[in-house]
Amino acid sequence: MRNSELWHFIILTIKCFVVLLVIGIFLPKALDYLLQSLTDNTKNYKNTIFVYKLVDKNYRLVYNYVLTFYLFFRG
């Protein structure tokens, strides 16, 4: 009985670590890459207005999220 509880705890810990990796590292990097590719591949045509501040705020939010998570695990 005790051995099965230990395996359950180990598997649960691994699952939590995987969730932290996905949400904390891989998801922000994917969002960072997506926002970077969206802002780099824009074309400005004559008589158009590009709303850059909205994209810039989202980009800064993802950048701060990634930076905070890296500093949390580094220190």
Side-chain angles (χ1 to χ4, degrees):
M1 191 80 168
R2 186 168 169 84
N3 198 14
S4 67
E5 290 175 1
L6 179 65
W7 280 111
H8 179 69
F9 172 74
I10 291 172
I11 290 173
L12 185 63
T13 305
I14 291 171
K15 285 181 183 178
C16 291
F17 188 69
V18 168
V19 167
L20 277 175
L21 281 176
V22 168
I23 292 176
I25 295 175
F26 298 126
L27 184 64
K29 281 189 177 184
L31 288 175
D32 181 37
Y33 177 75
L34 179 67
L35 285 173
Q36 189 72 28
S37 66
L38 284 175
T39 56
D40 286 346
N41 295 331
T42 56
K43 296 179 182 177
N44 292 332
Y45 298 103
K46 191 174 181 179
N47 297 329
T48 61
I49 299 173
F50 180 64
V51 183
Y52 185 71
K53 289 295 179 188
L54 179 65
V55 175
D56 189 40
K57 287 180 183 178
N58 290 339
Y59 184 73
R60 275 191 261 143
L61 178 70
V62 171
Y63 176 76
N64 289 336
Y65 180 72
V66 170
L67 180 66
T68 304
F69 198 80
Y70 280 148
L71 291 176
F72 177 75
F73 277 111
R74 193 178 99 187

